[in-house]
Every structure is written in C-alpha cells, then in structure tokens.
Amino acid sequence: MGEESPFSSAVLKGKVALITGGGSGICFEIATQFGLHGAKVAIMGRRKHVLDAAVASLGSLGIKAIGVQGDVRNKEDASRVVETTVSELGRLDILVNGAAGNFLVAAEDLSPNGFKTVMDIDTLGTFTMSHAAVNYLKKGGKGKGPTEAGVIISISATLHYTANWYQIHVAAAKAAVDSLTRSLALEWGTDYGIRCNGIAPGPISDTPGMDKLNPEEVGKSAEIVPLGRMGEKWDIAMAAIFLAADTGKYINGATLPVDGGSWLAKPRYISKEQLRQFGRAVEQRSRTAKLPNSKL
Ligand code: COA
C-alpha cells in the first residue's frame, strides 16, 4: 500500500460506491481507499471466493462492505447487483466500472470471439452497469436530495492513444470506454447532473495486468516511464477519490491518465550535452556558409 492519504478520512463520508471488478487488483485498492475515506462499498465480481476474501479483508479494516456476485455483461445481473447495493447500503453515489478482460495475444492468433469477449466485458459491461445504475445516481435518486447527484468512473487504459503490441482487443475496447465516458458526460451531466469520468492507468505494479508480462518486460516498463518508476495501485485509488469527491466537482467527460507520463515516452536519441555541441556546430556552419552572399 502507498503512503499516507492526502485526503481527509471523511472526504467520502455518507457515500455508497459500487465497484465492478472490486475483488482484486486496482479495483480492490479503490474499494479499500474509498472505505478508508468514509464510503460504504459494494464489490461485484464473477468469483464468489474472491469476493468473500475481499469483503473479509475490507471488514478487518472497519469498512462496511458487501460482495455481490455477477457478470457485467449480463443485464439481469447488472440490475440485481445495483438493486442489492441500494437495498443493503441505502443509496448509490459512485459507480466504478473496473471489471475488465485482458490477455496478451498476437492479432492473428486472436479469434473473433476472443476479441468480442473483451469488448463485451469492458465496453458493453461499462454501458450495461451504467445503464442499470443511472436512476439511482441521478439527482433525487433513492436516498439523495434534489440537487445531489452521483458519479461514474470508468477504468480505461492508454493503450489506444498510440498502438501497443498484442492488445488489439483491449485497445479497441478501452477506446470505446473513453467514448462512452464522453457521451454519458454530455447526456447524463446535462439531464441528471451525473459526472462521468475515466482513469487510464499506466504500468501498475502487483496487478493481474502486469503479472501477464514477464519480469524482464516489467523491468523495461519501469525504465521507460518518465517519472522513473512503476505506478502503485494507491496512485490509481487517489485519482479515483479526487474524481469522486468534491475535488472533482467541475470535472465531467475527462479521462485522466495516471501513468507517470508513460504513454508519451520515447527513447532519448541524443544526450543534452551532445545536442548542445551539435546544435552550436550546426549554427556555426550555417553562419559561415551564408557569409559570402549574405546581404544581412
Ligand atoms: N489468448 C487467446 N484467446 C483467448 C485467451 C487467451 N489468453 N483467453 C480467452 N481467449 C478467447 C477464447 O479462446 C474464446 O474464444 P474462442 O471461443 O474463439 O476460442 C474467448 O476468448 C472466450 O473465452 P472464455 O474463456 O469463454 O471467456 P470468459 O468469458 O471466461 O473470459 C477472459 C475470459 C480471459 C477474457 C477473462 O476471464 C479475463 O480476461 N480474465 C482476466 C482478467 C484480468 O486479467 N483483468 C485485469 C485487467 S487489466
């Protein structure tokens, strides 16, 4: 776990959050930090034993938490999980769409059904959960005052900002998730006051995503990050609190990269010292070359 939180421990007091994929990885850390900052949390996932262990661990920190089994691709599951959250925890303020499919595969080795599976979990799942939650998140939704509205945070990626090896399915799915964030921010921001934003994590250590890379690649990932280190799950959880709490109350339709600048990374092809010398030499040459005919 990261360092001490910069937020007040009551910043999410009275809020209820539903976090899909909240039983493990980044989204479990989001559930933990939301709970430590005053929220009650519901976590959703497909595997009961994972949810049970996560709820026990949240409970041991004094966090009020429930686990509700379900698949984000299934609209009956989505409605049931949202309704269970509201009936057991009283209301719904924050939906985190975190459930995601991910595996590395070369494009020609990926079957169309494999492609569809990830689109279904990430993109359709984000839409299905948001759709099931909208009536509870909107102003005046159950347990809320007439001006109080909820928040949606969808976990995306930076893969599709350029292109990445062996992740054609995930990149396409996350590009679509970013598009959902913008469309929902426009429609539901206008009509219901719901803020819809995203977080695009970069390389985050100790996650199922990074476990799929081999140790050598993990080392390389850290080397190319402009800030010189892999991210921690804590970094993503703090960004989620920032967007969910009043700190983010004018942020709507944004997807925030939390990646230490990784997606901008390019190898430095010449050192600063070489550049300075080379630059001076080039200037000198061009000045000398211009002198004979120059009228300036
Ligand atoms: N490589 C290539 N294709 C794969 C694959 C892999 N590693 N894993 C699944 N597929 C393909 C299957 O072959 C199948 O396609 P086919 O019917 O043409 O053969 C298709 O995907 C569906 O597989 P299935 O196992 O039925 O899907 P599922 O609904 O159980 O979901 C995963 C499987 C792998 C998508 C999902 O469980 C997953 O991604 N889990 C890991 C979650 C994770 O790491 N999250 C972190 C996010 S960063």
Side-chain angles (χ1 to χ4, degrees), residues 266-283:
K266 290 191 175 60
R268 195 196 296 260
Y269 62 92
I270 179 168
S271 76
K272 264 190 234 176
E273 200 40 51
Q274 281 172 315
L275 176 69
R276 286 171 189 141
Q277 285 170 8
F278 179 73
R280 276 197 288 271
V282 169
E283 259 173 53

Side-chain angles (χ1 to χ4, degrees), residues 19-22 26-28 30 34 95-101 121-123 126 152-158 160 170 173-178 181 197-202 204 233 236-237 239-240 243 254-256 258:
I19 300 154
T20 73
I26 287 174
C27 290
F28 177 66
I30 293 176
F34 276 12
L95 169 67
V96 177
N97 289 306
I121 299 172
D122 295 24
T123 309
T126 293
I152 297 176
I153 299 172
S154 298
I155 306 301
S156 179
T158 60
H160 52 291
V170 184
K174 295 301 195 183
V177 167
D178 289 357
T181 292
N197 292 300
I199 297 175
I204 304 296
K233 291 178 275 195
I236 307 302
L243 290 174
T255 294
L256 180 65
V258 183

Side-chain angles (χ1 to χ4, degrees), residues 20-107:
T20 73
S24 62
I26 287 174
C27 290
F28 177 66
E29 178 68 10
I30 293 176
T32 306
Q33 292 297 340
F34 276 12
L36 293 176
H37 289 80
K40 294 178 191 158
V41 295
I43 55 176
M44 174 182 184
R46 283 191 288 171
R47 294 166 299 170
K48 186 170 183 317
H49 68 278
V50 173
L51 291 177
D52 288 347
V55 167
S57 165
L58 293 167
S60 72
L61 297 171
I63 296 166
K64 169 76 181 163
I66 59 168
V68 197
Q69 205 177 350
D71 188 327
V72 294
R73 293 171 283 189
N74 179 309
K75 77 180 167 70
E76 285 75 30
D77 283 12
S79 301
R80 176 179 48 76
V81 171
V82 169
E83 278 154 22
T84 306
T85 303
V86 174
S87 68
E88 294 203 18
L89 302 179
R91 53 192 280 155
L92 181 61
D93 301 282
I94 307 162
L95 169 67
V96 177
N97 289 306
N102 195 355
F103 48 83
L104 297 177
V105 61

Side-chain angles (χ1 to χ4, degrees), residues 163-244:
N164 258 275
W165 287 101
Y166 310 136
Q167 301 230 276
I168 190 170
H169 46 332
V170 184
K174 295 301 195 183
V177 167
D178 289 357
S179 177
L180 294 183
T181 292
R182 288 189 289 267
S183 298
L184 295 181
L186 174 66
E187 291 198 32
W188 293 354
T190 307
D191 292 343
Y192 305 127
I194 300 171
R195 293 188 296 109
C196 301
N197 292 300
I199 297 175
I204 304 296
S205 54
D206 194 20
T207 55
M210 282 319 285
D211 289 348
K212 288 178 183 168
L213 298 172
N214 69 43
E216 201 186 315
E217 285 164 315
V218 172
K220 274 191 206 134
S221 293
E223 268 168 37
I224 59 158
V225 180
L227 292 186
R229 67 167 176 92
M230 303 268 294
E232 293 172 9
K233 291 178 275 195
W234 184 89
D235 294 310
I236 307 302
M238 292 300 118
I241 293 176
F242 174 76
L243 290 174

